């Protein structure tokens, strides 16, 4: 009996080893051309919308491919420190970047000396999602639409100010584009983050604010602030009754934040194609799309060419706005 049990145990052990070996082979096959653990650099502090989205995507990418995908927050200088680190990384797929419109358009356009070239120093992989911004007012401001706000600002030029999460942020530029396209005058009041700005908007210290919809949603729903419109070209599923600024009489207006993955320049094409394919598959999953929608993000999942076109379009759009606002460092 002892011998039979030993044989059965040996057989089970051998079968287990075979399964483990096969699983290891499958994981290596799924991991494709990348042979090392992957660090996804998030160029902002932990806890923000980019960080949350990154962790959702990293976890699922790791599960799908068998790769170890770790998120590392490398904040500072509006995202340029983390982005610069990836630009200088070894192009082997082990270090990739979760970028935004700030890292790949706004900051490079405003910098006196670019810390990196947003086009030449990176390999585009995939545009994962767009995140709408929203135009808000304190409920005591006597307007309920974009056109009413424009009329008020033109009737009393210079009287009203708008808040954002800081100088040179996508939200600041959303306000500057609004001024350029409507001809209104508003003073910009920069804050050190969206939280303090929202506190002052609710308290009435500042009457108008541009914010990321994912951060403002709760305050809009509980009536602490009034949302006039979203900044994207089309309406947002989480607030279907909220119009866009474009449909509210400013037809050329469109701004949003986005999240996209880049590698360093000279990343081999097989690695680019592998990462792009796997990331597109992650974003296409219903459960992931639902989680992103809960964050008021709009899932995209583009190929590398689509992301390259996005960067080119953003650079062309924001260059004249930054010049008009006097934001270019001298």
């Amino acid at each position: 009996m002892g011998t039979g049990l030993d044989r059965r145990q040996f057989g089970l052990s051998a079968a287990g080893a075979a399964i483990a070996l096969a699983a290891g082979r499958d994981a290596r096959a799924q991991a494709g051309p990348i042979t090392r653990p992957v660090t996804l650099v998030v160029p902002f502090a932990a806890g923000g919308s980019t960080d949350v989205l990154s962790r959702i995507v990293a976890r699922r990418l790791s599960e799908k491919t068998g790769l170890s995908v770790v998120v590392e927050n490398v904040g500072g200088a509006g995202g340029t420190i983390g982005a610069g680190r990836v630009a200088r990384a070894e192009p082997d797929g082990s270090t990739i970047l979760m970028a935004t419109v700030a890292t790949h358009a706004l900051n490079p356009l405003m910098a006196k000396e670019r810390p990196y070239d947003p086009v030449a120093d990176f390999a585009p992989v995939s545009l994962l999602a767009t995140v709408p911004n929203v135009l808000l007012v304190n409920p005591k401001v006597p307007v309920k639409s974009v056109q009413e706000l424009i009329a008020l600002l033109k009737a009393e030029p210079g009287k009203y100010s708008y808040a954002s999460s800081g100088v040179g942020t996508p939200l600041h530029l959303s306000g500057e584009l609004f001024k350029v396209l409507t001809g209104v005058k508003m003073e910009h009041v920069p804050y050190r983050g969206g939280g303090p700005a929202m506190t002052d908007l609710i308290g009435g210290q500042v009457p108008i604010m541009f914010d990321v919809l994912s951060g403002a949603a709760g305050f809009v729903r509980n009536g602490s602030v009034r949302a006039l419109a979203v900044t994207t070209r089309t309406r947002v599923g989480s607030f279907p009754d909220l119009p866009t600024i474009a449909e509210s009489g400013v037809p050329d207006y469109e701004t949003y934040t986005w999240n996209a993955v880049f590698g360093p320049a000279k990343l081999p094409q097989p690695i680019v194609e592998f990462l792009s394919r796997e990331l597109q598959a992650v974003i296409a999953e219903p459960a992931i799309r639902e989680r992103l929608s809960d964050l008021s993000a709009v899932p995209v999942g583009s190929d590398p060419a689509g992301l390259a076109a996005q960067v080119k379009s953003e650079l062309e759009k924001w260059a004249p706005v930054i010049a008009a606002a006097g934001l270019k460092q001298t």
Side-chain angles (χ1 to χ4, degrees):
M1 180 176 292
T3 302
L5 182 60
D6 291 343
R7 285 175 180 170
R8 285 195 297 273
Q9 288 175 331
F10 175 79
L12 290 171
S13 297
I19 291 170
L21 183 61
R25 283 198 301 267
D26 288 346
R28 286 194 296 272
Q30 289 175 323
I34 300 176
T35 59
R36 298 172 57 189
V38 175
T39 297
L40 176 60
V41 173
V42 175
F44 305 102
S49 59
T50 295
D51 179 63
V52 172
L53 183 146
S54 298
R55 292 178 187 278
I56 291 170
V57 170
R59 185 179 302 113
R60 186 65 188 117
L61 181 63
S62 182
E63 292 169 350
K64 282 186 87 283
T65 63
L67 285 166
S68 172
V69 184
V70 178
V71 171
E72 182 178 355
N73 298 92
V74 184
T80 59
I81 293 176
R85 173 179 161 182
V86 175
R88 297 185 297 271
E90 186 72 22
D92 59 3
S94 65
T95 306
I96 55 178
L97 174 71
M98 185 64 79
T100 69
V101 65
T103 63
H104 273 66
L106 305 184
N107 291 339
L109 287 170
M110 289 186 290
K112 180 180 180 180
E113 296 182 3
R114 288 183 177 183
Y116 51 79
D117 187 307
V119 176
D121 290 342
F122 295 90
V125 176
S126 180
L127 175 64
L128 301 185
T130 60
V131 183
N133 302 325
V134 61
L135 172 57
L136 307 166
V137 295
N138 179 279
K140 293 183 180 179
V141 176
V143 300
K144 294 185 177 180
S145 70
V146 171
Q147 282 303 315
E148 289 181 359
L149 176 63
I150 292 171
L152 178 67
L153 295 174
K154 288 187 173 180
E156 302 180 82
K159 178 180 177 180
Y160 292 88
S161 58
Y162 78 95
S164 83
S165 56
V167 174
T169 62
L171 304 168
H172 176 197
L173 272 295
S174 292
E176 294 304 310
L177 183 63
F178 186 81
K179 289 163 60 177
V180 167
L181 294 180
T182 61
V184 300
K185 293 183 179 180
M186 294 187 292
E187 180 185 356
H188 175 230
V189 182
Y191 285 78
R192 303 188 76 170
M198 179 61 74
T199 297
D200 275 8
L201 179 69
I202 293 171
Q205 284 80 14
V206 65
I208 304 164
M209 179 179 176
F210 285 86
D211 197 10
V212 179
L213 181 58
S214 55
F219 300 104
V220 173
R221 290 192 174 103
N222 68 21
S224 299
V225 298
R226 179 182 299 141
L228 299 185
V230 292
T231 65
T232 41
R233 183 68 64 182
T234 59
R235 295 193 182 197
V236 178
S238 55
F239 287 88
D241 296 330
L242 194 59
T244 69
I245 291 178
E247 72 179 90
S248 301
V250 192
D252 294 327
Y253 190 95
E254 181 184 25
T255 75
Y256 48 86
T257 302
W258 44 260
N259 294 111
V261 172
F262 291 82
K266 299 182 181 179
L267 191 64
Q269 194 61 27
I271 294 179
V272 172
E273 292 173 356
F274 167 75
L275 285 172
S276 185
R277 182 175 64 250
E278 294 298 331
L279 286 167
Q280 289 177 62
V282 167
I283 297 300
E285 293 181 3
I288 297 297
R289 298 180 75 85
E290 182 177 356
R291 293 193 69 185
L292 297 186
S293 296
D294 288 343
L295 297 172
S296 293
V298 180
V300 180
S302 79
D303 61 14
L307 177 52
Q310 180 75 30
V311 173
K312 181 176 183 291
S313 172
E314 297 284 12
L315 290 168
E316 292 174 349
K317 176 170 76 175
W318 289 115
V321 177
I322 287 169
L327 295 175
K328 180 72 175 180
Q329 296 175 7
T330 56

